[in-house]
Amino acid sequence: MTAASVVAAPVITLGIGGVRTRFEAAEPELRLSVAFPSTRFLQGEKSPVDCVVRVRRGDADPGPEPPWFVSGGPWEVHRGPHGGDRVAFWTALAEGGREPMMRLDLSTALDRGEMTVAPRYAPGGAVSIGFPLDEYLTARLLARRGAVIVHASSVADDGDAFVFLGHSGAGKSTLAEIAESCGAQVMSDDRTVLRVDHGHVVAAGTPWHGSYASGAPDAARVRGLFLLEQAQTNAVVPLHVAHAFSELMVRTVRPTAEAAEQRAVVDVVQRIVETMPVAVLRFRRDPSAMQTVRDFVSA
């Protein structure tokens, strides 16, 4: 880690993929913190923001009403008392079962929220701001602004970006590490923001990392989108647009079933695959894989 491995303050503002969220302690004794690599995504206190979240301690239980969307992971979405969403984040207990860790009440416009943290998860008044809370908020804000988070590593290479798509174990972190050893800069080794801007696909880094634990707030025009397959020899196989669309869709981060946001994600993915080709990258786990990528986009 770097010297800025952890930053703590009463106000934390994160800028990821072009959207900014400000977290404010609603109690004077609370301190909010972020850890590396999220510290690279910190913004100034006076930066314009898309959403402001007030943070306090209290009962984080979402209430008796059943959720209307269940993620299959550590969070679920309930209807809030004022028309917005109430997002419950849970933690598994060693003895079995689960307990509420925090609750996030959001306005319908997603421009403000109230975050309630169970006291045992704010020891000494310290509240950690990070995954999955920040990804949940960012993904929804991005969808409303024409962008999407995908399960992909990404690197900046000579001013442009290469994006490597894949589920867990496909080799996203491996490709990121290989690319860095060949002179590229890692923007993310697990999740990447994609958007179409003035006829070009643009990638932006995120702090949500895999085994390589790297992320940077850089953005660059994409020169290659690759679906990863580990192999004994390197090869690039272009995909048909319809196949590329389906492969990209199943790798998107969609933290809600809200219809308008789902339609927005579909629209973004369609624009991406219509703007630039997607190819399968069959790769060896050595620097020759990066040379194959560079040769392909230069041909």
Side-chain angles (χ1 to χ4, degrees):
M1 289 192 178
T2 68
S5 59
V6 177
V7 171
V11 177
I12 292 288
T13 302
L14 292 172
I16 304 170
V19 299
R20 295 184 179 93
T21 305
R22 177 170 295 141
F23 298 88
E24 300 177 346
E27 303 170 23
E29 62 272 23
L30 279 187
R31 299 286 289 181
L32 313 181
S33 67
V34 292
F36 182 87
S38 292
T39 50
R40 290 178 170 176
F41 295 78
L42 289 171
Q43 308 287 304
E45 283 192 25
K46 297 185 182 298
S47 301
V49 296
D50 300 281
C51 181
V52 176
V53 178
R54 298 274 290 168
V55 182
R56 67 183 73 251
R57 289 171 292 186
D59 183 3
D61 192 282
E65 294 297 322
W68 72 275
F69 180 76
V70 178
S71 70
W75 52 267
E76 59 192 25
V77 186
H78 301 248
R79 292 300 183 192
H82 304 296
D85 287 334
R86 169 169 284 180
V87 190
F89 295 86
W90 302 83
T91 188
L93 299 175
E95 61 271 20
R98 62 178 188 170
E99 67 178 6
M101 180 172 58
M102 66 181 106
R103 186 184 74 218
L104 178 64
D105 290 296
L106 291 168
S107 66
T108 55
L110 299 185
D111 60 341
R112 64 187 186 280
E114 294 287 335
M115 176 178 162
T116 305
V117 183
R120 68 173 292 183
Y121 295 100
V127 176
S128 176
I129 304 297
F131 183 86
L133 168 71
D134 54 354
E135 184 191 57
Y136 177 89
L137 266 175
T138 302
R140 295 196 63 181
L141 290 166
L142 285 168
R144 296 190 179 197
R145 287 155 178 79
V148 66
I149 300 171
V150 294
H151 290 278
S153 59
S154 53
V155 300
D157 189 57
D158 196 24
D160 293 314
F162 297 131
V163 177
F164 305 110
L165 301 156
H167 291 307
S168 178
K172 298 188 298 296
S173 294
T174 298
L175 245 298
E177 187 171 5
I178 288 171
E180 188 170 61
S181 73
C182 294
Q185 179 184 355
V186 177
M187 299 196 299
S188 175
D189 78 328
D190 193 64
R191 287 167 169 81
T192 296
V193 176
L194 294 178
R195 59 164 38 90
V196 178
D197 187 13
H198 296 94
H200 300 290
V201 179
V202 175
T206 76
W208 311 304
H209 58 79
S211 59
Y212 197 45
S214 185
D218 301 315
R221 174 179 166 181
V222 178
R223 290 189 67 196
L225 277 167
F226 300 96
L227 179 67
L228 296 180
E229 290 183 5
Q230 298 186 44
Q232 295 301 310
T233 59
N234 298 315
V236 178
V237 182
L239 290 177
H240 185 274
V241 169
H243 190 182
F245 174 83
S246 64
E247 293 288 359
L248 195 55
M249 276 298 300
V250 298
R251 290 167 177 81
T252 59
V253 175
R254 288 172 279 168
T256 178
E258 202 276 333
E261 292 174 32
Q262 290 290 328
R263 288 193 297 270
V265 169
V266 171
D267 180 64
V268 173
V269 172
Q270 186 67 43
R271 291 176 64 201
I272 289 170
V273 298
E274 290 176 348
T275 300
M276 73 173 304
V278 180
V280 173
L281 172 63
R282 296 173 182 151
F283 74 99
R284 290 171 51 88
R285 297 166 63 97
D286 62 42
S288 66
M290 189 61 181
Q291 189 58 50
T292 297
V293 168
R294 288 168 170 162
D295 291 345
F296 177 77
V297 300
S298 298

